[in-house]
Amino acid sequence: MQDKSGNGHHATQGTAAKRPTYETGLTSFDGVDDALVVPTFTWGSDEITMIVGVRKLNDATGIIAEFGADFTAYGSWYFAKHAAPRTEFSGRGARAGVVGDAASVPIAAPETGVYTMSQKINGGTPSRMRRNAGAWAYSVRTDFGGGDFHSWPLYIGARQGSTLYSSVYIYGIAIY
């Protein structure tokens, strides 16, 4: 998956059998072993905004995109689907003892939507998320531990490319 920003943060998969399938206009993740990774890079900010066009094929828990080792890692964030069924987004700052708190949208699969998420881990504001330009869902927590998002790989389709595989079509991801 090519980074179109010019920053060279291309998502790749070295094992051919674990590569998602590219179809016209979308990338298909099978929920079994497909995943992509962008090598470690420095985020350099305490803010994220992400827009993702995605089709949830089922309600099994799976990572759609995650910056960091997992949701407990300092300076990380994630966007995932859950069996509840819901889709959620959250990040975590750099201070010990402070955990993330997700903004969550209850949507059952199969479902196609454009999700917009944003968070600032400094400043006392909640993380937020919405689907198809609808009403914002907010996290309860507003203290995410401060600092900046750290230097991590960006995983797409699975946690660390090896667990919580997601059965989704991704039409595009914009992260800034």
Side-chain angles (χ1 to χ4, degrees):
M1 188 178 284
Q2 298 296 309
D3 175 5
K4 296 183 179 173
S5 72
N7 293 322
H9 300 302
H10 307 299
T12 62
Q13 172 53 262
T15 305
K18 294 184 176 187
R19 291 181 187 141
T21 304
Y22 176 77
E23 301 173 32
T24 303
L26 65 92
T27 303
S28 175
F29 292 80
D30 66 8
V32 176
D33 62 0
D34 291 356
L36 295 172
V37 64
V38 175
T40 299
F41 65 96
T42 301
W43 193 266
S45 169
D46 70 334
E47 296 182 68
I48 175 180
T49 297
M50 179 167 56
I51 303 167
V52 181
V54 65
R55 177 161 179 81
K56 292 172 45 179
L57 301 175
N58 61 40
D59 288 320
T61 298
I63 296 296
I64 297 170
E66 185 167 48
F67 184 70
D70 62 43
F71 70 94
T72 65
Y74 296 141
S76 64
W77 55 260
Y78 72 94
F79 173 47
K81 62 187 188 81
H82 289 274
R86 70 181 187 277
T87 306
E88 69 180 31
F89 166 77
S90 185
R92 181 175 185 187
R95 191 169 66 247
V98 178
V99 296
D101 181 29
S104 178
V105 177
I107 301 292
E111 181 273 335
T112 302
V114 176
Y115 289 84
T116 304
M117 295 138 282
S118 66
Q119 184 175 23
K120 181 175 175 70
I121 55 178
N122 294 304
T125 58
S127 59
R128 63 186 188 155
M129 174 180 173
R130 68 182 179 179
R131 178 182 163 273
N132 295 340
W136 287 103
Y138 295 92
S139 64
V140 174
R141 183 181 301 274
T142 60
D143 179 359
F144 296 99
D148 284 345
F149 290 111
H150 293 311
S151 296
W152 291 108
L154 171 61
Y155 299 99
I156 302 170
R159 172 158 291 150
Q160 295 184 29
S162 62
T163 185
L164 292 178
Y165 293 101
S166 202
S167 180
V168 295
Y169 297 154
I170 296 178
Y171 298 95
I173 301 175
I175 306 171
Y176 54 96

